Amino acid sequence: MNDIDFDRYDRIRPIRWTGDALELLDQRRLPFHVEYVRCEDSDAVAAAIHALTVRGAPAIGIAAAWGAVLAARDIQADDGAAALALLEPALQRLNAARPTAVNLAWALARMRRTLAAAGADWRAVIAAEAQAIADEDLAANRRMGALGAALIVPGSGVLTHCNTGSLATAGFGTALGVIRAGVAQGRIDQVYAGETRPWLQGARLTVWELQQDGIAPTLIADAAASHLMKSGRVQWVIVGADRICANGDTANKIGTYQLAIAARHHGVRFMVAAPSSTVDMATPSGDSIEIEERDPGELFGVGGVRTAAEQVGAWNPVFDVTPHDLIDAIVTERGVIERPDPQAMRAAFPG
Ligand code: MRU
């Protein structure tokens, strides 16, 4: 199979560190407006994470790490341990911005550990750590892309959900990284993307992102997924993850669980691609994951135009949990876990 030309298939960067501010590609404005929001303090970063200006599990972890660097500008301390004590309230506000994607807590825990061990040069040390988190994410995605693509038979069609690409990560993407690699190697002939109601990450972000990189996707309504699978046009559903538990249960964007059920019914294989920073061996199963519920108002309209009658009630959970026995493969940068279960997860992530 061909080598992957990473630059050709990966041109977008959602997070830019300027040295004194964090610039975030405003994902609420895409695809018609490509604008960066400038964050000059950590609370602006926390607000941007909560508002989905920046989104996607790895991207919010990276943004939070840079948020910690911004928070450090407001304090004076002789060493990292003293700085950590002063920074803790800002770190907790960043951590509270969104609950489900473990990458946010993971990145902040890593920043805390780094600070605790740092000396007088702690400012430089945490800036280097935030950059390392971003660099390692990009490298992990490229590795996952190659590992995941190798599972796909040439000539396949794939369906993806939400946005898991460069926009959701440091670059290349998780599930979309596997898809980019699969297209580059001639394994994937057709990419279908579900709209991903209510926030339309698929319709607004994924198809735009693929277009930027010269890949022509086919958009479908979320409700068309089972019909597509029945047609025989897709061999894999490939999704990312916001948290993978110790038994392999996986939290991801709402709608993922029903795709996994439909895939099993139709003999379509189901792949989860995520970096090891998304694996949470401290959470035993999906029952223990906090599922973010957002403003029901997100369901009442599209693009600012109200579509639901006034005064209706709504429930807006934005993630769901796919049980591990519906997953054929979990792909991380450390390797492929086929038919994940507690034993296979322990073997891959011994702790
Ligand atoms: O609410 P979002 O848009 O942040 O949700 C993102 C997803 O669910 C992605 O599929 C997940 O983070 C994996 S992305 C690399």
Side-chain angles (χ1 to χ4, degrees), residues 135-224:
D135 293 346
E136 288 168 25
D137 187 62
L138 179 58
N141 291 339
R142 290 177 169 178
R143 176 86 187 120
M144 280 152 40
L147 290 170
L151 302 175
I152 300 169
V153 171
S156 293
V158 301
L159 170 63
T160 191
H161 188 57
C162 195
N163 173 269
T164 64
S166 303
L167 287 169
T169 64
F172 203 61
T174 58
L176 223 54
V178 171
I179 291 171
R180 284 189 160 95
V183 170
Q185 293 183 333
R187 296 173 185 272
I188 297 177
D189 284 354
Q190 190 59 53
V191 182
Y192 293 89
E195 283 182 298
T196 320
R197 281 280 293 153
W199 214 70
L200 298 174
Q201 288 94 331
R204 291 192 308 102
L205 306 178
T206 298
V207 295
W208 175 79
E209 182 177 334
L210 288 173
Q211 268 185 336
Q212 305 308 300
D213 294 332
I215 298 171
T218 302
L219 182 64
I220 62 164
D222 296 323

